[in-house]
Amino acid sequence: MAKPLVKFLTDFGPLLIFFTVYFNNDQDLKIAIPPFVLATIIALLIVYVLEKKIPMMPLTSGIIITLFGGLTLYFDNKIFFYMKPTVVNLIFAGVLFFGKFFTKKTLIKVLFKNTLNLEDQGWKKLNDRWILFFIFVAILNEMVWRTQSEAFWVNFKVWGLLPISFLFILSQIPLI
């Protein structure tokens, strides 16, 4: 398998499994969460076997998916799972914010230094934009799960958040 295909499958395969199981089993989160958690762990293991390391963002997401999925099942309370994207995005925003003010490093530069070639001012702008984006997506997730049906939220999670993220990344091309 080509490396881009493996990356795509490890990034989006667990989400596709979650979505498929959820909508093929009477829209039941209790049935969809275990395969999602298992697929996420398998995806992380595949990345580790192939690269001998797991990047921080997928690792953090995997830990939070497992934790919040487990809490949802253990306490039989879906709110844990609804809040998972909010928590993930706020953690990412917090890490970038912390790096900006407390380490004097632009952490986004540390993450992408091998793929992007920007001046320090460009890295700072990109870092700030990602902080704002992560906060925006966290707020948006909260608004959707608190005001819409569960099925709408699941569709939003898959068909809303992914395109919004893709469009945000595309909007950064002029800076890059």
Side-chain angles (χ1 to χ4, degrees):
M1 245 191 284
K3 194 170 186 175
L5 179 59
V6 172
K7 177 157 178 39
F8 179 80
L9 290 174
T10 57
D11 286 349
F12 297 107
L15 192 56
L16 181 61
I17 288 169
F18 169 76
F19 188 76
T20 302
V21 171
Y22 179 80
F23 281 105
N24 286 321
N25 289 283
D26 298 322
Q27 299 176 1
D28 189 344
L29 273 181
K30 284 192 230 178
I31 294 172
I33 290 173
F36 182 45
V37 170
L38 184 61
T40 300
I41 292 168
I42 290 169
L44 291 173
L45 289 172
I46 289 169
V47 169
Y48 181 76
V49 166
L50 295 176
E51 299 182 14
K52 303 298 182 233
K53 65 178 181 164
I54 301 172
M56 189 56 67
M57 287 180 75
L59 179 60
T60 303
S61 293
I63 290 168
I64 292 172
I65 286 167
T66 303
L67 175 66
F68 279 68
L71 290 170
T72 299
L73 296 173
Y74 183 78
F75 290 109
D76 194 21
N77 189 339
K78 298 174 183 181
I79 290 175
F80 289 107
F81 204 68
Y82 297 154
M83 291 181 65
K84 179 200 63 71
T86 302
V87 171
V88 168
N89 285 296
L90 290 177
I91 287 172
F92 291 152
V95 167
L96 293 177
F97 183 82
F98 177 81
K100 175 181 177 171
F101 290 105
F102 297 105
T103 68
K104 301 300 180 198
K105 293 180 183 178
T106 308
L107 295 180
I108 204 95
K109 181 179 181 180
V110 174
L111 291 170
F112 294 108
K113 67 182 173 197
N114 295 332
T115 55
L116 302 176
N117 187 19
L118 296 172
E119 299 292 326
D120 282 342
Q121 194 61 24
W123 284 115
K124 289 176 184 176
K125 281 184 182 179
L126 190 61
N127 194 72
D128 290 346
R129 290 175 182 180
W130 274 104
I131 291 169
L132 292 174
F133 176 73
F134 286 134
I135 292 169
F136 166 74
V137 174
I139 292 168
L140 189 57
N141 182 67
E142 286 297 303
M143 289 171 48
V144 170
W145 82 259
R146 291 174 186 271
T147 63
Q148 304 301 314
S149 69
E150 180 178 288
F152 184 93
W153 175 78
V154 169
N155 275 303
F156 165 75
K157 186 174 162 38
V158 176
W159 306 115
L161 287 179
L162 289 177
I164 289 169
S165 299
F166 183 70
L167 290 173
F168 172 75
I169 292 167
L170 284 178
S171 74
Q172 300 313 301
I173 289 175
L175 175 65
I176 297 169

